[in-house]
């Protein structure tokens, strides 16, 4: 239950803020504070700090001008701190995220009397990867393994290299912290993508640059913060990874989802499977060549050679399996009229994939899982090499290989999920999953 002490703390904080800003209480704002406090106050916490009973969900719709940010902050911050939880605020837009972190929270901290800390959370791709920057500046061969067929693996031009040199100098002097949003000018997407990474491509504690990593330095600020401001994509990405990977673990957090009307589309984006078929085939072909290049760098007695060779064989088998599916997809699009200028999307009624496609989809799923399994073995082998005092290859090269093979594993897992869904008997699903084909340029 909501204790009398917490009620008084919330009321005092609200009154102090209004008085300091010479504002009048708004009826809708007061109702919102009361509703949030009442619901969060019903949460019971056991001796291990885990939730026990109570209603975990509170939904509020309020019009423009209500002062929603102040209302949920004043109500939730005292309750989160009393329960030993981190308040995670997720927004849909960068504009609101910036407003909360740079204006609203400092204002509330200054005028409400509440004592709390706050930090901004961003995904890895908003931060520079020192390993990738170092590889470009050192002239390392980046054509070893490009995970996406449209990924720019060619050597950067002189202007791009000059930009990377400037980044390195700004980092060394302390003028820049590696946050893309803090760079002095707009960064072209193609230039930035070369020097950033994602969860799959990050080698974590095995990276030579982890002590100075901009992303992990930013994460340190999140660990001790009472309030963490993120966006919908980051929260959903963290939950998709199991929670607690980027943000505080779900069991240690109270979530406020601002601008929640954007959430359905975001959820579909994060928890669905998709594959650009032709691009996927090109990626497999390119990856096979890349693995062949990696094999040439290993000694004949290297412990990694057999695992690399097996992975290349699995990829070739998967590519042949997918090549046989292409005529089936073309036929379905042709029969439906999509290929003749009709609707760009063929939706399978009730999510039921035509029988002729389900068998090949099952074979493709099995092929993807084979690739995942072999990639996982290779990742373990690379990790052991990096942990060894006498690795078989230069450490910098092994770090690069580990990041790339981890990315390969993640992409194969995603494709396995799609083909598994296509091979399922949707007639037994309640409710059915949506499945469709879409005709896209360069598909």
């Amino acid at each position: 239950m909501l204790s009398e002490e917490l009620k008084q703390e919330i009321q005092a904080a609200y009154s102090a803020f209004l008085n300091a800003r010479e504002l009048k209480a708004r009826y809708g704002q007061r109702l919102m504070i009361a509703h949030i406090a009442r619901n969060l106050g019903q949460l019971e916490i056991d001796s291990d700090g885990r939730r026990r009973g109570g209603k975990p969900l509170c939904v509020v719709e309020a019009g423009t001008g209500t002062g929603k940010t102040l209302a949920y902050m004043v109500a939730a911050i005292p309750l989160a701190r009393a329960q030993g939880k981190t308040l995670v605020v997720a927004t849909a837009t960068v504009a609101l995220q910036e407003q909360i972190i740079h204006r609203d929270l400092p204002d509330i901290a200054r005028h409400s009397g509440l004592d709390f800390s706050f930090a901004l959370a961003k995904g890895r791709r908003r931060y520079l990867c020192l390993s990738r920057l170092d590889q470009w500046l050192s002239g390392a061969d980046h054509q070893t393994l490009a995970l996406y067929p449209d990924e720019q693996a060619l050597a950067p031009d002189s202007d791009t290299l000059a930009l990377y040199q400037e980044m390195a100098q700004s980092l060394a002097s302390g003028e820049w912290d590696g946050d893309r949003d803090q760079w002095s000018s707009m960064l072209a997407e193609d230039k930035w993508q070369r020097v950033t990474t994602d969860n799959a491509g990050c080698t974590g504690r095995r990276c030579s640059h982890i002590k100075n990593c901009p992303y992990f330095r930013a994460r340190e600020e999140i660990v001790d913060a009472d309030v963490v401001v993120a966006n919908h994509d980051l929260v959903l990405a963290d939950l998709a990874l199991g929670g607690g990977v980027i943000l505080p673990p779900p069991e240690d957090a109270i979530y406020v989802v601002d601008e929640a009307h954007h959430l359905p589309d975001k959820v579909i984006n994060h928890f669905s499977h998709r594959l650009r078929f032709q691009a996927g085939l090109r990626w497999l072909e390119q990856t096979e060549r890349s693995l062949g290049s990696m094999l040439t760098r290993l000694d004949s007695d290297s412990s990694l050679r057999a695992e690399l060779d097996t992975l290349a064989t699995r990829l070739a088998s998967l590519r042949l399996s997918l090549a046989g599916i292409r005529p089936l997809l073309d036929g379905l699009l042709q029969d439906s009229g999509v290929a003749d200028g009709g609707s760009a999307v063929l939706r399978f009624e009730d999510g039921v994939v035509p029988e002729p496609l389900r068998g090949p989809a099952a074979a493709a799923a099995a092929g993807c899982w084979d690739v995942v399994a072999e990639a996982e073995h290779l990742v373990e082998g690379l990790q052991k090499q990096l942990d060894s005092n006498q690795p078989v290859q230069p450490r910098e090269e092994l770090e690069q290989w580990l990041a790339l093979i981890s990315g390969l594993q993640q992409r194969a897992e995603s494709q396995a999920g799609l083909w598994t869904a296509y091979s399922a008997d949707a007639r037994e699903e309640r409710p059915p999953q949506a499945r469709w084909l879409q005709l896209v340029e360069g598909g």
Side-chain angles (χ1 to χ4, degrees), residues 83 96 158 198 246 274 303 308:
Q83 296 171 3
L96 182 55
S158 58
D198 55 15
I246 308 168
R274 59 179 58 81
S303 59
L308 255 177

Side-chain angles (χ1 to χ4, degrees), residues 102-124:
H102 294 302
R103 194 185 76 184
D104 294 339
L105 283 174
D107 202 26
I108 294 170
R110 189 178 306 115
H111 299 300
S112 67
L114 294 175
D115 181 20
F116 63 94
S117 58
F118 54 90
L120 178 63
K122 301 178 183 180
R124 278 180 175 85

